[in-house]
Amino acid sequence: MKKNNIEMSSYLKQLNVINTKRVCLFVLMMTTITSFSQDKKWSLQACVNHALEHNITVKQGDNTLLLNEQDVIAAKGQFLPSFNGGLGTGARIGSGFDPVTNQRVTNQTTYSFNYNLSVNQNIFNGFRTLNLYKQSKLTRETNALELNRIKDDISLNVVNAYLNVLFNKETLETATAQYKFSQKQLEQVKALVDAGAQPKANIYDAEATLSRDAQQVTLAENNFNLALLTLSQLLQVPYNGFAIEFIDIESPSEALLYKNVSPVLDYAFQNRNEIKVAEKNIENAKLGTEISKAGYYPSVSLGYGFGSVWSESKNDFIKQAFFRELDLFKGHNINLNVNIPIFSRFQNKTAVAKSKIQEENSKLNLNQAKLNLESNIQRAFTDAQAAFRAFDAAKKSLASQELAFGNSKERYDIGAMTAFDLEQARVQLINAKSSLINAKYDFVFKTKVLDFYMGKSLTD
């Protein structure tokens, strides 16, 4: 039995040395990374700005707006007349008629040339051109609002990822501090054992505790690195050397809470981009109906043309010079066209009916957007209230556990408590610290969500 205890002690000492080396290696690695990235530490505002500038979805949205701008220019151009010019030449080989004798001639080759200029102007088409122009501008405005909504979501995601890095950093600091405390505890136990005040078995317990704390440091280190990796990927920057400015988030107060959800709802219904997009879609659907109704109206267009033709064959009795003949045969033509729809095989009727159905769907989409927004805000408000209560309870719990552990430590030092009981008190203290850190960051993020719906800056 004594031999087994010696072997167990040797194993725990080796494990302790290994874990101590891992912790030291992590501290050295963090120091190296910090030194390497001193020239570039990302603040929260810098992270948000970079994400909005380099995000692929945002860039695609910007390109969509550029396309919409070209659509507006094209729609505006429909109000202008079209101008066309043409030149043509050809040769005809075969039978024909002599223009003088009016006799049939075989194997005749006739050469021809013509030119023309034309101008066409739409006068009336049931206001279709006007409504298409309005629709192109409305589409551009809608896509601009949609892009702003995307930017809002990206900003919130960046803030969440940034806070997650801070949360894991604080968790790592707590785990490291606990590891250092366990090291001191082990030294104290060894001194007491050497003095004969405690049994040697307490050393094994202290070494096992130190090993568990070293594992917690490793786990916290991994979570911290993963949080940094997630943020760097969100910003689309290299992870190697990536570092942020660590904000010391003090204990948040109840002042961050919103006492009433109604102001948040009122502001969101008036200003949130998803509501504005749904409203613009209704306007767009109404314009679509007006465009469909244009099929019932007559269309009127005016055209003007000018041109001439020249032709010549070997059998021509009278031959004119090229430009002389073009001058002789030049002419003008003016035309006014009126197209009156009588029966369109139900195409106009079904187009209008489908447009009206789309109007109703757009109105339903607006109602659904309002319901979704109200649900999200109500949930965020409730979550923030619950997060504050959890944070307040975690503070009280930590204060109680600190007193309890201090009392347990004193009793252990005088031999009135076993090492097992002391470890139980220490575990409860660690859990209380972890719960407080988690509750604090959860409460801060939940209040940021409400600020998000209120249009406030997320980086303040």
Side-chain angles (χ1 to χ4, degrees):
M1 184 66 179
K2 183 176 180 181
K3 181 179 180 181
N4 291 337
N5 289 337
I6 294 174
E7 291 177 352
M8 177 62 70
S9 176
S10 176
Y11 170 75
L12 290 174
K13 287 180 180 180
Q14 292 177 2
L15 183 61
N16 181 34
V17 171
I18 294 173
N19 287 324
T20 302
K21 289 182 177 179
R22 295 181 67 180
V23 173
C24 293
L25 179 62
F26 167 71
V27 173
L28 178 61
M29 180 188 71
M30 292 300 297
T31 304
T32 304
I33 291 177
T34 302
S35 300
F36 176 78
S37 58
Q38 283 179 350
D39 295 336
K40 180 62 175 179
K41 286 186 178 292
W42 292 77
S43 66
L44 178 56
Q45 185 65 60
C47 289
V48 172
N49 292 341
H50 184 88
L52 295 180
E53 183 178 354
H54 295 87
N55 185 270
I56 293 177
T57 304
V58 172
K59 289 183 177 180
Q60 290 174 335
D62 290 332
N63 288 336
T64 298
L65 292 182
L66 293 177
L67 291 174
N68 294 152
E69 187 63 36
Q70 296 304 313
D71 291 338
V72 172
I73 295 174
K76 188 185 297 184
Q78 294 299 312
F79 291 103
L80 302 176
S82 62
F83 181 79
N84 298 286
L87 298 173
T89 185
R92 183 180 183 280
I93 302 174
S95 301
F97 288 90
D98 189 298
V100 178
T101 63
N102 202 28
Q103 297 295 317
R104 179 180 176 83
V105 180
T106 59
N107 298 325
Q108 177 174 274
T109 301
T110 303
Y111 303 95
S112 64
F113 173 82
N114 67 84
Y115 71 88
N116 66 84
L117 301 172
S118 64
V119 179
N120 292 281
Q121 174 64 55
N122 170 59
I123 297 177
F124 180 75
N125 62 353
F127 307 106
R128 180 182 180 85
T129 301
L130 177 62
N131 288 323
L132 284 173
Y133 174 63
K134 291 180 179 179
Q135 194 174 57
S136 66
K137 293 198 300 181
L138 190 60
T139 299
R140 180 184 59 185
E141 294 172 4
T142 303
N143 287 333
L145 292 171
E146 180 64 21
L147 179 58
N148 289 335
R149 186 195 65 79
I150 293 173
K151 289 181 177 180
D152 287 343
D153 290 343
I154 291 174
S155 298
L156 188 62
N157 290 336
V158 170
V159 170
N160 185 27
Y162 197 96
L163 289 175
N164 193 40
V165 174
L166 299 181
F167 163 72
N168 282 283
K169 173 182 176 292
E170 193 165 335
T171 301
L172 176 58
E173 290 175 346
T174 301
T176 304
Q178 192 60 45
Y179 176 82
K180 293 179 179 178
F181 173 82
S182 295
Q183 282 183 318
K184 294 180 180 179
Q185 184 70 15
L186 176 60
E187 295 173 358
Q188 183 180 3
V189 170
K190 287 181 177 180
L192 292 174
V193 170
D194 292 340
Q198 289 189 4
K200 192 172 182 179
N202 286 358
I203 295 179
Y204 306 146
D205 294 333
E207 288 176 342
T209 298
L210 184 63
S211 298
R212 286 195 297 269
D213 289 342
Q215 291 175 349
Q216 290 301 315
V217 170
T218 302
L219 179 61
E221 167 196 342
N222 185 55
N223 291 336
F224 173 72
N225 290 331
L226 287 176
L228 269 179
L229 176 63
T230 300
L231 180 58
S232 67
Q233 290 176 339
L234 190 60
L235 300 182
Q236 298 174 8
V237 298
Y239 169 68
N240 187 24
F242 178 72
I244 68 170
E245 291 182 359
F246 292 109
I247 306 171
D248 185 16
I249 297 183
E250 300 177 353
S251 180
S253 67
E254 192 176 2
L256 293 176
L257 281 177
Y258 289 83
K259 301 301 181 182
N260 191 350
V261 73
S262 296
V264 183
L265 288 172
D266 293 340
Y267 180 88
F269 285 150
Q270 294 296 324
N271 297 279
R272 285 297 302 166
N273 288 313
E274 51 265 45
I275 301 300
K276 292 182 179 180
V277 167
E279 291 173 344
K280 292 292 183 181
N281 286 336
I282 293 177
E283 295 181 36
N284 205 325
K286 290 181 178 179
L287 283 175
T289 301
E290 295 301 318
I291 292 172
S292 299
K293 288 181 179 179
Y296 288 125
Y297 293 94
S299 59
V300 182
S301 62
L302 179 65
Y304 165 78
F306 173 78
S308 182
V309 63
W310 166 90
S311 66
E312 180 181 89
S313 66
K314 294 181 179 180
N315 297 325
D316 284 346
F317 181 75
I318 300 176
K319 292 185 178 182
Q320 300 284 350
F322 178 76
F323 290 103
R324 173 66 176 167
E325 186 168 336
L326 286 177
D327 185 61
L328 286 174
F329 288 101
K330 68 183 178 181
H332 305 266
N333 67 81
I334 299 176
N335 58 81
L336 179 66
N337 297 312
V338 179
N339 182 32
I340 302 175
I342 298 175
F343 180 67
S344 63
R345 293 173 296 182
F346 305 113
Q347 298 303 304
N348 292 331
K349 180 180 179 180
T350 55
V352 172
K354 289 168 65 177
S355 297
K356 289 183 176 180
I357 294 173
Q358 187 58 45
E359 277 190 56
E360 293 301 317
N361 279 336
S362 299
K363 294 176 182 178
L364 292 174
N365 289 338
L366 175 60
N367 292 334
Q368 186 63 56
K370 289 182 177 180
L371 289 174
N372 292 340
L373 183 61
E374 182 178 6
S375 175
N376 292 336
I377 292 176
Q378 290 283 8
R379 186 182 300 111
F381 181 78
T382 303
D383 287 345
Q385 297 284 337
F388 176 76
R389 289 193 294 269
F391 173 67
D392 189 53
K395 286 195 299 183
K396 296 177 180 178
S397 175
L398 177 60
S400 299
Q401 292 299 331
E402 286 176 339
L403 291 175
F405 179 75
N407 182 53
S408 298
K409 184 68 170 57
E410 291 177 0
R411 295 176 62 193
Y412 175 78
D413 291 340
I414 62 175
M417 176 178 281
T418 65
F420 177 79
D421 293 332
L422 178 64
E423 175 62 15
Q424 295 301 310
R426 190 184 73 91
V427 169
Q428 291 178 353
L429 177 61
I430 294 174
N431 291 337
K433 289 181 178 179
S434 298
S435 297
L436 179 61
I437 295 173
N438 185 70
K440 179 176 71 172
Y441 281 94
D442 184 56
F443 174 59
V444 170
F445 179 70
K446 294 296 173 52
T447 58
K448 286 293 183 182
V449 173
L450 288 175
D451 289 342
F452 169 75
Y453 286 117
M454 277 294 289
K456 295 182 180 180
S457 174
L458 295 176
T459 57
D460 293 338

